[in-house]
Amino acid sequence: MPLLPEPDLAGPESAMPGRRLSELAEQAVRCTTACCGAGTTVSEGGSEQAASVTHPDLAGLVSVQLSSGDGPIPAAHERGAPVETGDLLRDERWPEYRAMALDSGVRSSVTLPFQCAGLTVTLTLFSFRPDTLDDVRHGPAQALGDLATTGLVRDRRYRAALTELDHLGTALRTRPVVDQACGIIMHVLTCDADKAFTMLRRISQTTNRKLADVAAAVVQKRGKGLERELAGLAAEEGNHPAGGPRAR
């Protein structure tokens, strides 16, 4: 079951959709009469993320559509409805896709689109015989596509939640160091906590370093060597009120 494009096996963001797409294609073929193979794609916001086919010979039929933006898959995306090609010997739409399909022995296909929470999945079933996939949109392939799309959305939300938890954990671990650094700056500048945090953030921005790294450096040096820099930043902040224009 080759994937198009090949997934980054080191990144779960691409590996997870690829696995679900492969399973959807295989299951749809097994439960669809006269089907010789299938291809699936998933995209978010119009940008293709992954694709899968059940047989290597079908890879070109999917990739030519994704690269050219012309064919049943792009048409299903645009319409939000199934797109059928009953007999490619008579159907002259999408010449490049038609020529490649006929050269592979494919006579007919149907593409089913599934949309949920900004995610679009397509399932394309192919047949060597004409007019044999008319009932696909009312068969089990439709239910399989709905289930796979829901699973992909759930996977995406789960990964987003894990990322947010990781960010929160990092924030909690660095908060004590940031507080200590603010305390040192308050002592050096004789200022309040808000002003101290503003100075810490300014140093982070001007040096292109993470706030936590800057705070750790301030704590390690106990503010030594920063007096002049902090005083200069404090004077600059005083000369340019928040929201006001800065001199160049």
Side-chain angles (χ1 to χ4, degrees):
M1 293 177 289
L3 297 176
L4 307 170
E6 183 176 340
D8 177 10
L9 297 180
E13 288 292 332
S14 60
M16 180 70 74
R19 186 166 61 251
R20 285 199 181 273
L21 291 179
S22 295
E23 293 172 351
L24 170 60
E26 288 287 352
Q27 292 170 358
V29 170
R30 285 197 295 267
C31 68
T32 305
T33 304
C35 180
C36 67
T40 53
T41 70
V42 60
S43 66
E44 184 175 5
S47 176
E48 295 294 334
Q49 293 181 334
S52 177
V53 292
T54 54
H55 300 86
D57 292 345
L58 299 176
L61 295 183
V62 175
S63 62
V64 70
Q65 297 179 69
L66 300 185
S67 61
S68 67
D70 196 31
I73 294 175
H77 266 274
E78 182 179 353
R79 301 175 190 176
V83 175
E84 299 180 18
T85 56
D87 187 355
L88 285 167
L89 283 179
R90 300 191 304 268
D91 192 337
E92 297 183 355
R93 297 174 293 176
W94 320 301
E96 190 173 5
Y97 165 76
R98 175 176 181 256
M100 186 174 292
L102 291 175
D103 187 58
S104 301
V106 172
R107 289 285 299 274
S108 62
S109 67
V110 58
T111 300
L112 306 176
F114 307 89
Q115 297 177 336
C116 182
L119 208 66
T120 300
V121 173
T122 67
L123 168 62
T124 302
L125 298 173
F126 303 95
S127 176
F128 291 137
R129 295 182 292 171
D131 303 314
T132 55
L133 300 171
D134 297 340
D135 297 331
V136 166
R137 67 174 70 187
H138 305 298
Q142 180 73 37
L144 289 172
D146 286 330
L147 184 62
T149 304
T150 301
L152 284 167
V153 170
R154 185 174 61 249
D155 294 340
R156 182 184 61 177
R157 289 173 176 170
Y158 176 70
R159 293 193 298 272
L162 288 180
T163 300
E164 184 177 357
L165 283 175
D166 184 61
H167 291 167
L168 288 173
T170 300
L172 288 174
R173 288 191 298 271
T174 59
R175 178 61 184 270
V177 178
V178 173
D179 288 343
Q180 291 180 52
C182 286
I184 293 172
I185 294 174
M186 289 169 64
H187 176 73
V188 172
L189 295 180
T190 314
C191 65
D192 60 20
D194 289 341
K195 184 75 170 181
F197 183 76
T198 299
M199 293 299 101
L200 193 65
R201 187 170 55 189
R202 285 290 307 281
I203 295 174
S204 172
Q205 293 171 346
T206 56
T207 60
N208 196 27
R209 298 164 62 194
K210 292 181 179 180
L211 183 66
D213 293 341
V214 173
V218 171
V219 171
Q220 183 178 11
K221 296 181 180 180
R222 297 296 177 184
K224 294 180 181 180
L226 290 175
E227 293 89 346
R228 182 176 299 179
E229 182 179 0
L230 290 172
L233 289 174
E236 185 179 344
E237 285 293 320
N239 292 333
H240 305 289
R246 297 185 180 274
R248 294 183 180 270

